[in-house]
Amino acid sequence: MGAEVTEGRPGPYFEGSYRSSYDVNSEEMGEHTTETVTKRVNLVTKHHQDMVNSGNVPSNLSSRIWPEPGTYINDGEHQYRITKTVIPVQNGNHHSESEGSAMASAFQKNQFAILILVFQIIFFVLFGLFGTYTNDAMPSGSESTNYVNSKYPLFQDVHVMIFVGFGFLMTFLKRYGFSAVSINMLLACFTIEWGMIFRGFLQHNFSETGVFTISIEDLLTADFAAAVVLITMGCMLGKLSPSQYVIMALLETPVAIGIEHIVVHVFHVNDVGGSMIVHVFGAYFGLALSRVFYKKEYVSHENEGSTYHTDIFAMIGALFLWLFWPSFNAAPADPEDARHRAILNTYLSMVASVMATFLVSFLVNKHRHIDMVHIANSTLAGGVAIGTNANVILSPLHALLVGFFAGCLSVVGYQYITPFMANKLKMHDTCGVHNLHGMPGVVAGLTSVLFAFVYDPALYGSTYAKIYKATEHGRDHKTQALYQLAGLGLVLGSSLLSGAITGLILKMKIWNQVRDKEYYADGDYFHTPDDYDFTTRIISNIDHVEVTEHTKLKESV
């Protein structure tokens, strides 16, 4: 039988990117089970290695060598005869001349390195001129271990969330794993430095002495600033170049910190877990940016999808986030009873959101299947929805109800609202941050209005003034509720406006842009291993290789 080839006939080997899937007529090979597909893939892999070992092809060839029709492959137990190979030919990662010319200038070619070097030098200068450690960290500082022993464990939990939790949660895209983890790390570190500097300029100490101090609490707030940028990154995942990600972080960080300063220190809004100033801001900044950036190519792109193992990697990130989220909400809380309460409320809210996620995910699927997108994301919605009120809520029932509602809302968002926003509103949200961070964050803001209004201040005693600081100066609880609402409104409005402006800046041709064919893919910006195309494109979408004959090998005597 001859070979069937679409868009060209294969020679001894192909270079480029291919999509393939196996279709087998032999009963002995079985149906499309995991074991069968693995066996078929192994046959082609073995043929590739045999060709390399024979010296017929270069050993560093990145693409798979497909067996010609009539080829016999020995797997050690049987000998198989390949009867048909269908391989759609792709252009792979090779740039056309017109695409290559766009990258011709030295600045465009080295833009990413130039940006990183310039910004890091600026950070060196600013830290050198204005930064210093807090007195307790200096040789003549406090000898008490209470501060470090109480603050550092909570900070470290949050740190793991930022670098492991967020990073692995975004590895679900089948061809974007390198970028998800490493750009996440880059943006977090960039924002930590830039956030410390900008927040330091807003310190009362800076206005008096001309320097800003750094303590463990400043490391924690820097991680919070990084979370804002990483949430926005989730919305734009796979659609920006590394240079654009860096510029995005540069522009978003000071706006987010400035709005936080107004909400927390001017309005005196309680938002202990950052549901408004972190989650709402990051999500709606990203949605506005996405709207400005929108292209029809974003939707249903061939690279925008997951595989079995990438969804498992995403679950690793989800589990780290789920386990440590109580620390995220409790770390800034003060005094100790409020911190204790924040841990309890967050834990119960997240437990309830897990229950809601599995329930609603099952019900909204017509086949009554559970969707791993929901499990990896909506199970975390309770942590966001309880964040603003984690130090306020006094009843476990209230915490459970908030978490359960957030889980339900998040699944509904993934199932119905996200497609509507992409198709009708032209807001493409790669990770669905609107469902995990945006809407649950709005729920947190609205419920903070409710709880500030209905809870009797007398129940808190002296703690009340430490939670709602303006009440110490005569603000009553009803007025505080209105300020909570005003804070939410300010965050929503400022994030949408600044996100849209940032989108216009990032669309400027001066910045490297992702090629349409390479959305949601690592190939243009990372050195990928030899099996990159095979494991991320071919195996996940094979056209077919037919094996219709096999003979039992004779055992050697």
Side-chain angles (χ1 to χ4, degrees):
M1 296 177 65
E4 295 183 9
V5 182
T6 61
E7 300 182 28
R9 179 179 178 81
Y13 59 88
F14 268 166
E15 290 188 271
S17 305
Y18 313 109
R19 290 181 302 167
S20 264
S21 75
Y22 292 118
D23 188 9
V24 174
N25 294 332
S26 171
E27 291 182 2
E28 287 80 355
M29 285 293 287
E31 298 298 326
H32 291 275
T33 63
T34 301
E35 181 180 359
T36 301
V37 172
T38 301
K39 191 168 188 177
R40 297 166 194 160
V41 172
N42 288 340
L43 286 175
V44 179
T45 303
K46 187 177 188 307
H47 176 74
H48 175 95
Q49 191 59 50
D50 289 344
M51 294 289 284
V52 172
N53 293 340
S54 67
N56 292 330
V57 296
S59 61
N60 62 350
L61 182 66
S62 62
S63 58
R64 190 60 43 178
I65 303 167
W66 294 93
E68 292 276 12
T71 302
Y72 286 90
I73 304 177
N74 174 358
D75 71 351
E77 181 180 0
H78 294 84
Q79 180 167 282
Y80 297 92
R81 180 176 181 270
I82 305 300
T83 57
K84 183 163 63 174
T85 304
V86 179
I87 309 170
V89 179
Q90 307 286 329
N91 288 329
N93 292 330
H94 301 292
H95 294 262
S96 66
E97 291 184 7
S98 61
E99 290 169 330
S101 63
M103 301 288 289
S105 72
F107 175 71
Q108 292 288 344
K109 186 175 181 179
N110 300 292
Q111 182 180 102
F112 176 68
I114 293 171
L115 290 175
I116 294 296
L117 180 61
V118 168
F119 289 138
Q120 188 58 58
I121 291 173
I122 293 173
F123 293 161
F124 285 151
V125 172
L126 293 176
F127 272 107
L129 292 175
F130 305 111
T132 185
Y133 291 134
T134 183
N135 289 334
D136 288 341
M138 300 305 284
S140 58
S142 172
E143 295 183 1
S144 172
T145 60
N146 292 336
Y147 178 81
V148 173
N149 289 345
S150 63
K151 290 289 185 180
Y152 186 75
L154 292 173
F155 156 72
Q156 189 62 15
D157 289 351
V158 174
H159 213 47
V160 170
M161 292 176 68
I162 297 300
F163 287 90
V164 180
F166 276 97
F168 276 90
L169 185 64
M170 292 188 279
T171 59
F172 69 95
L173 290 172
K174 59 189 175 185
R175 292 174 62 80
Y176 206 66
F178 282 9
S179 297
V181 174
S182 58
I183 298 297
N184 178 92
M185 185 178 189
L186 170 68
L187 292 189
C189 291
F190 179 92
T191 306
I192 285 169
E193 289 189 272
W194 180 214
M196 280 186 184
I197 292 168
F198 193 85
R199 196 187 301 275
F201 291 156
L202 299 177
Q203 286 181 3
H204 180 69
N205 184 67
F206 181 80
S207 63
E208 291 185 341
T209 65
V211 296
F212 59 83
T213 58
I214 300 173
S215 66
I216 293 177
E217 288 187 16
D218 295 295
L219 303 185
L220 179 66
T221 54
D223 272 359
F224 273 55
V228 177
V229 172
L230 298 181
I231 291 167
T232 300
M233 175 188 169
C235 188
M236 296 301 296
L237 194 69
K239 296 172 287 193
L240 298 180
S241 68
S243 298
Q244 289 173 309
Y245 280 127
V246 171
I247 298 301
M248 180 192 79
L250 177 74
L251 299 175
E252 182 177 13
T253 300
V255 179
I257 292 176
I259 295 300
E260 175 195 331
H261 183 79
I262 295 172
V263 170
V264 175
H265 298 289
V266 178
F267 288 5
H268 295 291
V269 167
N270 173 59
D271 189 19
V272 67
S275 295
M276 291 190 283
I277 58 179
V278 173
H279 299 282
V280 170
F281 190 96
Y284 287 97
F285 185 100
L287 288 172
L289 200 162
S290 177
R291 178 62 184 86
V292 173
F293 248 80
Y294 180 82
K295 289 183 179 180
K296 64 180 184 298
E297 289 82 6
Y298 290 161
V299 182
S300 301
H301 193 281
E302 64 172 336
N303 294 334
E304 189 191 13
S306 64
T307 61
Y308 191 81
H309 72 273
T310 60
D311 276 339
I312 293 175
F313 274 114
M315 273 303 299
I316 294 174
L319 289 172
F320 270 99
L321 290 170
W322 197 92
L323 290 170
F324 290 127
W325 212 295
S327 296
F328 190 94
N329 287 346
D334 186 61
E336 194 63 26
D337 68 290
R339 181 177 300 164
H340 191 173
R341 198 160 52 245
I343 293 172
L344 299 176
N345 284 327
T346 304
Y347 185 81
L348 290 177
S349 180
M350 297 196 72
V351 167
S353 70
V354 170
M355 302 299 290
T357 298
F358 276 88
L359 172 65
V360 181
S361 180
F362 182 82
L363 292 177
V364 298
N365 187 285
K366 63 181 180 180
H367 301 297
R368 294 299 184 261
H369 289 167
I370 296 169
D371 192 331
M372 285 306 294
V373 173
H374 304 157
I375 305 307
N377 293 276
S378 299
T379 53
L380 305 172
V384 179
I386 201 72
T388 301
N389 307 292
N391 58 343
V392 173
I393 292 176
L394 301 176
S395 167
L397 176 61
H398 294 166
L400 289 167
L401 289 174
V402 169
F404 192 86
F405 177 76
C408 294
L409 179 63
S410 181
V411 173
V412 170
Y414 276 104
Q415 191 72 16
Y416 303 110
I417 299 176
T418 293
F420 172 80
M421 294 181 70
N423 297 321
K424 302 299 183 181
L425 303 182
K426 297 183 178 180
M427 291 181 173
H428 183 272
D429 182 0
T430 307
C431 290
V433 300
H434 184 233
N435 313 304
L436 170 54
H437 303 279
M439 292 191 296
V442 172
V443 169
L446 294 176
T447 53
S448 76
V449 177
L450 174 65
F451 289 123
F453 189 82
V454 301
Y455 270 139
D456 184 356
L459 295 172
Y460 297 88
S462 61
T463 301
Y464 194 74
K466 294 185 178 181
I467 295 174
Y468 301 113
K469 292 181 170 54
T471 59
E472 192 174 15
H473 304 290
R475 181 186 292 177
D476 62 34
H477 69 286
K478 294 180 180 179
T479 304
Q480 181 64 42
L482 294 177
Y483 271 97
Q484 295 289 133
L485 184 61
L488 176 61
L490 176 61
V491 169
L492 280 169
S494 61
S495 61
L496 289 169
L497 178 61
S498 56
I501 294 172
T502 301
L504 293 174
I505 294 172
L506 294 182
K507 285 186 71 175
M508 296 171 63
K509 298 301 181 183
I510 188 175
W511 312 119
N512 293 340
Q513 309 283 330
V514 180
R515 297 183 299 132
D516 289 352
K517 290 183 179 180
E518 287 299 307
Y519 289 131
Y520 319 110
D522 290 325
D524 273 359
Y525 297 102
F526 282 84
H527 177 74
T528 54
D530 291 347
D531 64 348
Y532 170 63
D533 276 328
F534 187 66
T535 57
T536 63
R537 176 177 281 162
I538 297 172
I539 289 179
S540 62
N541 193 10
I542 301 181
D543 272 309
H544 68 240
V545 172
E546 289 188 4
V547 182
T548 58
E549 297 180 18
H550 74 276
T551 57
K552 185 77 172 180
L553 293 178
K554 294 181 180 180
E555 295 183 3
S556 58
V557 180

